[in-house]
Amino acid sequence: MTSTRFSSTQHSDVGLAQDHASSASDGGQYLVFSLGEEHYAVDILKVQEIRGYENVTRIANAPAFIKGVTNLRGVIVPIVDLRLKFNLGAAEYTAQTVVIVINLGARVVGIVVDGVSDVISLAADQLLPPPEFGARLKSDFLAGLATVNEHMLLIMDIERMMTSEEMALMDPEAAVV
């Protein structure tokens, strides 16, 4: 592990590390972000860029967690609020609120988070499998867990989340893993 700040929010372009494996079980580099008091991470190789939150164009009859769409340099990008998706309460958008633009092969999706704190490297032996909760509580979107400086870090399987029936943001066969 190379870094464990988990502190301030930073808006920046993310230098994509091309030399690490991309699955959670192999370890790799992860972008750490916060939703409330919890810390989550996504594979850095899926992150296209990080932007400040801007108003989006709402889409009628879309679920509440889909905030709308935005035009990102000619690409229409659906914007998903992960606080609402994970039932963490209403999101208050501040100057720290950011959108992580995720590139999933044929589709680009933006996820709204409370803040981005760091990029960390985790070895495969630092990753633990997600717990099984049974059918009533899904953990399908967790690729693993890691403990960093006494904080639990939830590693998200962003492809699985975006291809789920509930999200229906992309065709599962179109996702390039």
Side-chain angles (χ1 to χ4, degrees):
M1 179 171 48
T2 59
S3 181
T4 56
R5 281 185 294 180
F6 287 23
S7 57
S8 65
T9 301
Q10 300 173 347
H11 298 237
S12 66
D13 288 331
V14 175
L16 299 179
Q18 299 297 323
D19 59 340
H20 290 277
S22 62
S23 79
S25 62
D26 297 336
Q29 289 192 316
Y30 300 90
L31 176 68
V32 178
F33 62 91
S34 61
L35 293 172
E37 298 298 318
E38 305 300 327
H39 297 283
Y40 296 81
V42 294
D43 183 346
I44 193 70
L45 296 178
K46 304 295 181 202
V47 176
Q48 178 174 313
E49 66 184 90
I50 301 167
R51 306 171 51 89
Y53 181 79
E54 299 171 356
N55 287 332
V56 297
T57 302
R58 306 266 321 157
I59 297 177
N61 296 322
F65 59 84
I66 297 179
K67 301 303 293 177
V69 295
T70 191
N71 184 339
L72 181 62
R73 295 182 292 279
V75 176
I76 302 302
V77 177
I79 304 296
V80 176
D81 188 322
L82 286 186
R83 263 185 170 274
L84 297 177
K85 168 67 180 140
F86 294 156
N87 295 318
L88 296 175
E92 180 180 331
Y93 299 153
T94 67
Q96 262 75 89
T97 304
V98 296
V99 175
I100 303 172
V101 179
I102 304 287
N103 191 329
L104 299 171
R107 184 69 160 199
V108 177
V109 178
I111 57 174
V112 180
V113 300
D114 293 343
V116 173
S117 59
D118 215 344
V119 175
I120 63 169
S121 294
L122 295 173
D125 64 354
Q126 292 178 284
L127 301 173
L128 301 171
E132 298 285 334
F133 292 113
R136 297 190 68 170
L137 184 60
K138 292 184 171 188
S139 62
D140 295 350
F141 310 136
L142 289 178
L145 304 167
T147 302
V148 179
N149 281 352
E150 301 178 13
H151 294 280
M152 181 67 70
L153 182 63
L154 306 165
I155 313 291
M156 293 185 59
D157 184 336
I158 199 73
E159 285 95 5
R160 184 172 291 172
M161 186 176 85
M162 293 301 168
T163 57
S164 70
E165 283 184 32
E166 182 185 26
M167 298 291 279
L169 288 176
M170 57 185 293
D171 182 1
E173 295 167 6
V176 175
V177 180

